[in-house]
Amino acid sequence: MTTTGPDVTGMPRHVACVMDGNGRWAEQRGLKRTDGHAAGEQSLLDVVDGALELGIEWLTVYAFSTENWRRPTDEVRFLMRFNESLLVQRRDELHEKGVRIRFVGRRDWKVPKRLLRRMDESVTLTAGNRRLTLTIAFNYGAQAEIVDAVKQIVALGPAPADVDEALIAKHLYDPEMPDVDLWIRTSGEYRISNFLIWQSAYAELVFVDTYWPDFRRRHLAAAVAEYQSRNRRFGGLDQ
Ligand code: IPE
Ligand code: IPE
Ligand code: MG
């Protein structure tokens, strides 16, 4: 397999990314942690452009976890406002590029109403787009997602024999979301941190040392090239 350019035939359909290292990026520069979050906006926009260039259909990014509420109030408040203004300022250009914006995460728990409204507006505005689905995992935790799915299923009262993988998948936050092919984490941490556990059962994991605010489309392309050099077996044998 060539490593000189992307292999369009082996393009991952769904790329998921833990955007990590904002705080350390800022601390390294004597800045506030929140400056690191702000700097991450350029990375996200560049990676979206990179995904569009590569023809990736689904890109899911981890923006705020169900565990991130444990952070200092000021940082949490900053992240709520920051994500709200990012949506307001960027949704039109994302819309023009043919990006469909979606969200996964707990809606009815802690998220400010105003932000929820912005999220809904962005989803509605871009609902007809098909070039790239950008899913923002916000107030998202994979364990919470599975708990929420199980709650819905229990309320339906199925016979135990009818509970299978398809039934659980149907009750996840976005049942249309395909399984993750390429799962990336920036910042040199080798943890899943509760991101898309169900959907990543057979994802190829790529960990990069770059902090998120330094991550650009070339890093995405490098991760895709790494993915293309892997041999996926899904529990079977080599093709
Ligand atoms: C990721 O960067 C962004 C969020 C979790 C919101 P961090 O804020 O976790 O940055 P580090 O890991 O502390 O450097
Ligand atoms: C995961 O990063 C969550 C996001 C990037 C939004 P964290 O920085 O919160 O994860 P841990 O605490 O290092 O596991
Ligand atoms: Mg972190």
Side-chain angles (χ1 to χ4, degrees), residues 17-229:
C17 186
V18 182
M19 308 186 287
D20 195 21
N22 297 351
R24 280 163 286 163
W25 180 92
E27 278 156 20
Q28 242 182 17
R29 288 162 176 74
L31 302 169
K32 300 193 296 282
R33 288 180 54 82
T34 49
D35 294 330
H37 299 314
E41 180 172 351
Q42 281 312 316
S43 309
L44 178 61
L45 296 171
D46 200 63
V47 165
V48 166
D49 284 341
L52 287 165
E53 278 169 14
L54 290 168
I56 289 164
E57 291 172 55
W58 291 74
L59 174 67
T60 303
V61 293
Y62 208 1
F64 192 87
S65 78
T66 44
E67 288 71 36
N68 286 148
W69 296 105
R70 295 177 186 152
R71 299 209 176 176
T73 321
D74 282 355
E75 184 171 344
V76 169
R77 197 176 297 138
F78 175 91
L79 286 166
M80 294 300 140
R81 291 207 185 118
F82 172 66
N83 280 288
E84 186 188 337
S85 73
L86 190 150
L87 279 179
V88 172
Q89 287 170 31
R90 302 297 185 178
R91 63 186 173 198
D92 289 334
E93 74 185 68
L94 290 169
H95 181 44
E96 277 158 28
K97 288 175 182 173
V99 176
R100 174 169 63 166
I101 301 173
R102 286 192 171 181
F103 290 89
V104 288
R106 267 197 179 148
R107 282 181 61 91
D108 53 353
W109 186 65
K110 290 185 165 194
V111 182
K113 290 272 176 305
R114 230 176 55 188
L115 177 52
L116 285 175
R117 266 205 304 279
R118 299 295 182 216
M119 289 159 64
D120 291 343
E121 287 164 9
S122 310
V123 170
T124 307
L125 173 73
T126 61
N129 295 336
R130 285 296 178 274
R131 266 189 86 194
L132 168 69
T133 301
L134 171 65
T135 307
I136 302 171
F138 194 86
N139 199 20
Y140 175 86
Q143 291 185 339
E145 178 175 37
I146 295 168
V147 167
D148 290 349
V150 170
K151 278 184 186 160
Q152 287 184 32
I153 293 168
V154 167
L156 294 172
D162 291 337
V163 178
D164 58 10
E165 287 86 344
L167 183 70
I168 292 175
K170 215 170 92 182
H171 289 89
L172 297 176
Y173 293 133
D174 183 356
E176 286 180 19
M177 178 188 280
D179 282 348
V180 176
D181 299 301
L182 168 58
W183 188 107
I184 304 168
R185 182 170 189 150
T186 62
S187 89
E189 301 290 359
Y190 304 115
R191 283 193 288 281
I192 294 170
S193 297
N194 210 5
F195 187 44
L196 299 177
I197 287 175
W198 180 276
Q199 299 86 342
S200 300
Y202 273 100
E204 292 297 328
L205 308 181
V206 172
F207 296 91
V208 299
D209 288 336
T210 312
Y211 292 145
W212 177 251
D214 288 330
F215 196 88
R216 290 293 180 273
R217 70 186 85 183
R218 70 174 187 282
H219 299 98
L220 173 67
V224 167
E226 165 71 27
Y227 166 87
Q228 290 171 335
S229 74

